[in-house]
Amino acid sequence: MTTREVGIGRAHAKSILFGEHAVVYGAPAIAIPIPQLSVMVQARHSEPHGDVQVTDVVQATAGSGWGRVDQTDPGLHMLLGAFCLATAAEARGVHLRVDCTIPAGCGLGSSAACARAVVLALSDLFDRPIDTRLAFDLVQTAERVAHGSPSGVDTVATGSPVPIWFQSGTAKELTIDVDATLVVADSGVSCATKVAVRQLRERFDADPASKTRFLEDSSRLTTAAVEDLTRGRVGNVGQLMTDNHDLLRQFGLSAAEVDRLVCAALTTGAAGAKLSGGGLGGCVIALVEETDRVEAVVSALHAAGAVATWRVRTAGYSS
Ligand code: MEV
């Protein structure tokens, strides 16, 4: 039985501070929410009978570079099927309106955020409350189609109002006390996470010892960062971020455009900078302690090729 005319679902972007890629193999990662980049989905019933289907998707946000839910997206169809199976929702056509300001293909979690917003909109529309675990499993259904072997960090982080520590499918809230600004800069080079994950896997297959080194180094940096984040040691956190970037670069996951942005941020006074997410393009994050340096770092990033920047305060999260 359907009780609502419209269901609403929301999610937001995320940024990985430490541990991307290693997290796919069971190592830890730390991610923070980026609430100012978000997606809202409105779901309405469409055809009264027939198979579960997306009858229409209206992309409300102008521009082609934003995260989108494509009507023909196999992940979306898998998600709808899985939702109806899990909740015994009556099969119907669904009209989705997607309003997303998260750029796609740049490591900010647009695919997971869109899938999460769809799941929550369906839950609202069909009046089927779903718990955290089921929401995770449903979003992962779509993410598996988009990414192949998603760790789940994006799935959780795009719904968490606070920073998280994530490892092997389990997330913990992380209290961070860092009074600084995280500048997020889009290199303008987009790359599907799937491609970067596959490239690293091929490298590991060819040289299994390199996998051990990568996972050990990434885990060491991520673990060390927890105490510095908790105690507000911005300089240490920044250095660990730059070290994490160097590790990812050594494993072929950066790009010339990304390295240019990291260099520009560091030479203008950022405490640290790194690629964030899948890499091979995408976004760079730079941690800036002094408020009066933020403008200079933002300008340097644009001069070095950034096509967009966002500023995220790293203090004041609450769940
Ligand atoms: C993508 O945001 C993060 C990766 O580690 C992939 C994943 O965790 O599924 C590259």
Side-chain angles (χ1 to χ4, degrees), residues 166-192:
F166 184 92
Q167 186 167 23
S168 303
T170 303
K172 279 193 308 207
E173 289 189 6
L174 190 68
T175 306
I176 73 173
D177 189 19
V178 171
D179 190 7
T181 303
L182 195 72
V183 179
V184 181
D186 183 358
S187 69
V189 179
S190 102
C191 179

Side-chain angles (χ1 to χ4, degrees), residues 241-263:
M241 286 169 62
T242 308
D243 292 348
N244 198 168
H245 178 73
D246 285 340
L247 179 66
L248 294 160
R249 191 174 47 77
Q250 283 164 32
F251 279 78
L253 292 161
S254 192
E257 294 85 348
V258 168
D259 290 338
R260 252 200 307 280
L261 297 185
V262 168
C263 186

Side-chain angles (χ1 to χ4, degrees), residues 193-250:
T193 302
K194 196 185 208 164
V195 173
V197 169
R198 192 191 317 126
Q199 182 180 302
L200 186 62
R201 192 178 297 281
E202 284 167 5
R203 194 173 178 127
F204 289 162
D205 287 346
D207 177 8
S210 71
K211 178 176 175 182
T212 310
R213 178 168 88 76
F214 180 77
L215 297 184
E216 280 176 3
D217 285 358
S218 182
S219 301
R220 180 177 48 74
L221 295 169
T222 306
T223 307
V226 171
E227 184 153 348
D228 290 324
L229 285 165
T230 316
R231 293 179 185 269
R233 297 180 193 132
V234 180
N236 290 4
V237 174
Q239 186 56 56
L240 291 167
M241 286 169 62
T242 308
D243 292 348
N244 198 168
H245 178 73
D246 285 340
L247 179 66
L248 294 160
R249 191 174 47 77
Q250 283 164 32

Side-chain angles (χ1 to χ4, degrees), residues 14 16 19-24 107 147 149-154 193 197 277-278:
K14 59 81 209 179
I16 298 190
E20 52 273 273
H21 285 286
V23 68
V24 172
H147 284 195
S149 52
S151 66
V153 64
D154 291 9
T193 302
V197 169

Side-chain angles (χ1 to χ4, degrees), residues 121-143:
L122 293 174
S123 158
D124 194 25
L125 179 71
F126 287 95
D127 196 17
R128 295 287 195 280
I130 52 175
D131 62 17
T132 309
R133 185 73 228 179
L134 180 56
F136 178 84
D137 290 344
L138 291 170
V139 176
Q140 283 288 88
T141 305
E143 282 288 271

Side-chain angles (χ1 to χ4, degrees), residues 91-116:
R92 277 170 189 270
V94 175
H95 169 100
L96 298 177
R97 181 185 167 95
V98 180
D99 192 347
C100 181
T101 59
I102 310 171
C106 74
L108 296 176
S110 68
S111 62
C114 285
R116 173 173 284 280

